[in-house]
């Protein structure tokens, strides 16, 4: 079986490759931009087949899909930061919407029988009344950021190709996913990195934060990778599945966990630059449909994530990365 992953250097793409490479009957192909940082997949050198291009360039996408001739496709490439989408809304739309259509057109022409996954986001739901949580897939989409709008359009594009061309396309709406190789823009990552910097005496003993009252649904990227594999086995084409833990954790409580794991005392201070123009107070998903379809259950909890990421950032700083 040939698997094709876009966004291979991202946290989910690299986790999915890690999950699939040991399978003896799976050949992993990956699509990456020539300028992408390959350190997250350096350990996979020689074990995956890389195709270079840009998701915004339809010709390079078609060439890669034609050469890979995949049986399964995981479309994870995206401008995936809501905060950045406010500063670059057009780029966000081009990458996430046009990029998805470029891939779908390539699949329609060169791999029409492949099973395709399109990655969406909980940001598509936007502001949700706490009384309406956990959020089911049937909840209206009211995105509050250009990023959320772009992902609604990308997901609907996938469903349109499934309906009109008979392609096997499934869409996920992933809530917050966290794991190594992610950078430090995710809340848990930035808190753990700041604590590690403080421990190495490279930052004053202050953890800078944004909105501490927001509650989010976190899933580890290894759990996400396992869910994605099962979903293309069992998921129905033309369907949307929430990919989430089903548990909401307050951001302030995560900061407290990081402080507990820290080796030095710290102060917490709100940084206005970390506050978004609009921020959903509660995002927690209903994963019943995914669980019933695939038998999947998340295995890695938020305290386990904090412990792992503290070790990850200490190791990175110790090695000078």
């Amino acid at each position: 079986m040939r698997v094709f992953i876009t966004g291979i250097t991202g946290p989910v793409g690299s986790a999915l490759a890690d999950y699939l490479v040991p399978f003896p009957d799976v050949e992993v192909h990956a699509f990456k931009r020539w300028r992408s940082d390959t350190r997250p997949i350096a350990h996979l050198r020689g074990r995956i087949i890389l195709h270079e291009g840009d998701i915004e360039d339809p010709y390079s996408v078609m060439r890669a899909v034609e050469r890979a001739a995949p049986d399964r496709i995981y479309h994870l490439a995206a401008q995936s930061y809501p905060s950045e989408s406010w500063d670059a809304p057009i780029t966000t739309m081009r990458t996430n919407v046009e990029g998805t259509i470029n891939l779908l057109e390539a699949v329609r022409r060169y791999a029409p029988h492949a099973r395709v996954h399109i990655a969406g986001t909980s940001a598509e739901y936007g502001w949700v009344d706490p009384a309406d949580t956990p959020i089911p897939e049937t909840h209206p989409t009211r995105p509050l950021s250009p990023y959320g709008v772009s992902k609604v359009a990308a997901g609907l594009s996938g469903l349109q190709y499934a309906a009109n061309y008979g392609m096997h396309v499934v869409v996920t709406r992933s809530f917050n996913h966290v794991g190594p190789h992610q950078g430090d823009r995710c809340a848990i990552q930035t808190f753990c990195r700041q604590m590690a910097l403080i421990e190495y005496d490279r930052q004053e003993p202050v953890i800078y934060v944004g909105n501490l009252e927001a509650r989010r649904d976190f899933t580890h990227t290894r759990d996400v990778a396992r869910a994605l594999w099962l979903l293309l086995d069992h998921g129905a084409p033309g369907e949307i599945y929430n990919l989430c833990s089903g548990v909401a954790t307050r951001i302030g409580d995560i900061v407290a966990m990081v402080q507990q794991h820290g080796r030095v005392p710290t102060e917490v201070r709100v940084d206005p630059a970390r506050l978004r123009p609009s921020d959903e107070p509660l995002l927690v998903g209903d994963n019943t449909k995914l669980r019933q379809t695939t038998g999947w259950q998340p295995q890695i909890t938020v305290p386990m994530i904090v412990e792992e990421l503290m070790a990850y950032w200490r190791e990175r700083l110790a090695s000078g990365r």
Side-chain angles (χ1 to χ4, degrees):
M1 179 184 293
R2 290 185 169 193
V3 174
F4 185 78
I5 304 171
T6 73
I8 185 67
T9 58
V12 175
S14 58
L16 182 59
D18 285 337
Y19 180 71
L20 296 179
V21 160
F23 291 8
D25 58 345
V26 173
E27 182 177 277
V28 178
H29 291 250
F31 186 72
K32 63 170 285 293
R33 290 181 299 177
W34 64 268
R35 64 184 183 276
S36 292
D37 183 357
T38 59
R39 285 178 295 179
I41 57 171
H43 62 292
L44 296 173
R45 191 183 307 275
R47 304 176 73 189
I48 63 176
I49 300 167
L50 285 175
H51 304 263
E52 289 197 338
D54 193 308
I55 201 66
E56 295 182 36
D57 174 21
Y59 301 102
S60 63
V61 176
M62 286 188 184
R63 184 173 60 248
V65 171
E66 183 181 19
R67 290 176 177 175
D71 302 294
R72 293 189 178 190
I73 297 164
Y74 294 92
H75 180 41
L76 305 168
Q79 191 301 93
S80 57
Y81 296 102
S83 57
E84 187 171 305
S85 76
W86 292 102
D87 296 325
I90 300 301
T91 297
T92 298
M93 294 294 173
R94 286 176 179 160
T95 301
N96 296 353
V97 184
E98 290 186 20
T100 298
I101 294 172
N102 289 340
L103 177 69
L104 290 167
E105 275 295 297
V107 174
R108 184 171 72 88
R109 296 186 184 190
Y110 297 110
H113 301 297
R115 297 190 173 196
V116 183
H117 159 256
I118 304 292
T121 170
S122 60
E124 296 174 46
Y125 294 118
W127 190 92
V128 177
D129 190 311
D132 294 330
T133 60
I135 307 166
E137 291 86 352
T138 54
H139 193 279
T141 53
R142 302 187 184 98
L144 295 177
S145 67
Y147 167 69
V149 172
S150 74
K151 283 299 195 174
V152 170
L156 289 177
S157 297
L159 298 184
Q160 179 249 312
Y161 274 73
N164 292 325
Y165 300 116
M167 292 166 54
H168 190 113
V169 179
V170 297
V171 176
T172 56
R173 288 184 181 145
S174 290
F175 287 61
N176 296 64
H177 51 254
V178 189
H181 313 307
Q182 193 173 20
D184 65 343
R185 298 201 213 185
C186 165
I188 299 180
Q189 295 280 10
T190 190
F191 303 149
C192 291
R193 180 177 182 271
Q194 286 186 75
M195 177 58 78
L197 286 169
I198 292 166
E199 292 175 351
Y200 280 86
D201 201 26
R202 292 169 58 181
Q203 177 174 315
E204 62 178 328
V206 177
I207 299 177
Y208 292 94
V209 302
N211 179 12
L212 293 178
E213 298 307 316
R215 290 181 288 166
R216 295 290 182 264
D217 185 328
F218 292 95
T219 308
H220 196 286
T221 51
R222 289 195 296 274
D223 279 337
V224 172
R226 190 165 45 84
L228 293 180
W229 181 250
L230 290 169
L231 191 58
L232 283 193
D233 264 342
H234 304 288
E239 291 290 329
I240 299 171
Y241 298 85
N242 283 338
L243 208 175
C244 55
S245 70
V247 177
T249 304
R250 178 179 168 271
I251 298 300
D253 294 337
I254 294 171
V255 175
M257 292 180 206
V258 171
Q259 289 182 296
Q260 290 169 6
H261 280 277
R263 296 168 179 168
V264 295
T266 54
E267 173 191 344
V268 176
R269 190 179 302 168
V270 173
D271 177 4
R274 297 172 187 264
L275 298 173
R276 297 177 182 174
S278 60
D279 202 7
E280 303 89 342
L282 172 63
L283 280 175
V284 57
D286 182 346
N287 61 17
T288 301
K289 185 176 179 180
L290 176 64
R291 288 188 291 103
Q292 291 181 344
T293 301
T294 66
W296 174 84
Q297 291 280 0
Q299 299 174 345
I300 304 172
T301 64
V302 169
M304 294 165 67
I305 290 171
V306 170
E307 183 176 2
E308 176 184 356
L309 292 182
M310 280 304 312
Y312 169 75
W313 282 108
R314 285 168 178 151
E315 189 277 329
R316 280 198 61 170
L317 293 176
S319 61
R321 291 184 290 146

